Amino acid sequence: MIIEEEEKIEGKNEKLLVDLCECYLLLNRWASSKFLSICVHCLLKVSLKKEENEEARKEVEIALLALSNIAMWKFIEQNLYLKEIKEIIQCHQKHHNLTRLAYQSAWQFLINRLYEDYSLVEVVVNELHFGREAARELDELRGNVDWKRKEERGKEAKEVHILIRWLDVIGDFFFECRLSNEEYIGLISSMTRLFRASRDNYREINFFCICLIGTVADNRALEIEDLFKSEAIDAALEEIIRSNTKYSQIDFYLSFFRSTS
């Protein structure tokens, strides 16, 4: 159906094509290379909408969410997406026109491309300032969650779900990236604040944060002095001496200290 609609010379139903591409990508991370160029072009076109109304923002959100679901090991030529995704991210940085989920999804789509195209690192780190942007988003989302109230499983606030998505993309970024940048100090500081805020009622997020900081230490993306500045080492030490920390987790924290040393 995607091919048939795309190849129509007259009477092409753009709305139908968008819906088909979104469904295909959201249901299939293993998207065929045959369809990727069509879907990416179609959904980036939707994502570039500048209208301020709620309906347009929702359309952009769903389009970017679908794009973010393309697996990282799927190679896409830069000329099919880079100019457009940079414009989308930079426009939001200037005008804040995207929803939080849409903005996270735009970054997820771009970071996923690092796996097959490491030449993008310079753009991600120094041109689009991933470290600065991810830190700001984590801090703002953290401020919108009531960390004292324990949520029932499956009923967490929307902000919590987007926080977890940001931690996923940060993990993917540091797994691939070896380019150091001073903005990482702010990002690790934000993750440390999230680590402390979530330690009582959101242990999954709490442990996720320290795992990511350990990955940064392993990759030597920061100097040891930077880890001290971000208070990550103090936070890990605090967790070791807490009476309710599990033995299996204590072993991880000790491994964290071995990595930093």
Side-chain angles (χ1 to χ4, degrees), residues 195-196 198-201 203 206 235-246 250 253:
F195 171 81
R196 284 172 164 151
S198 61
R199 65 173 28 139
D200 291 326
N201 294 322
R203 296 294 291 174
N206 174 261
L237 184 59
E238 291 165 9
E239 200 64 26
I240 284 180
I241 62 177
R242 279 164 58 89
S243 60
N244 63 343
T245 302
K246 295 179 180 178
I250 289 176
Y253 293 125

Side-chain angles (χ1 to χ4, degrees), residues 159-169 204-205 208:
E159 289 81 5
V160 173
H161 289 290
I162 301 176
L163 263 172
I164 292 171
R165 286 177 61 88
W166 268 108
L167 293 176
D168 279 333
V169 75
E204 182 180 349
I205 292 177
F208 200 169

Side-chain angles (χ1 to χ4, degrees), residues 35-136:
F35 297 108
L36 274 180
S37 60
I38 298 174
C39 292
V40 169
H41 173 75
C42 176
L43 297 185
L44 283 175
K45 184 178 177 181
V46 173
S47 302
L48 285 165
K49 283 186 175 181
K50 300 296 194 300
E51 292 92 336
E52 293 293 334
N53 63 75
E54 190 62 30
E55 182 180 354
R57 285 163 64 87
K58 183 58 65 176
E59 288 176 2
V60 170
E61 182 181 78
I62 296 172
L64 286 169
L65 182 64
L67 288 169
S68 74
N69 203 47
I70 299 173
M72 63 172 59
W73 45 86
K74 284 292 183 179
F75 179 74
I76 306 173
E77 294 285 349
Q78 281 191 19
N79 64 340
L80 291 176
Y81 69 87
L82 186 55
K83 178 178 178 291
E84 291 83 358
I85 200 68
K86 282 171 59 178
E87 181 179 341
I88 290 165
I89 289 173
Q90 289 172 330
C91 184
H92 176 78
Q93 290 172 351
K94 186 174 181 180
H95 301 290
H96 300 284
N97 58 307
L98 300 176
T99 66
R100 289 195 184 280
L101 179 58
Y103 190 49
Q104 187 280 332
S105 297
W107 275 111
Q108 184 78 64
F109 170 77
L110 182 57
I111 298 297
N112 282 353
R113 311 283 68 79
L114 287 177
Y115 185 80
E116 294 284 352
D117 190 353
Y118 194 74
S119 68
L120 292 168
V121 167
E122 181 69 29
V123 174
V124 169
V125 174
N126 293 324
E127 192 172 341
L128 297 177
H129 302 282
F130 175 74
R132 179 195 69 195
E133 292 297 299
R136 180 180 54 76

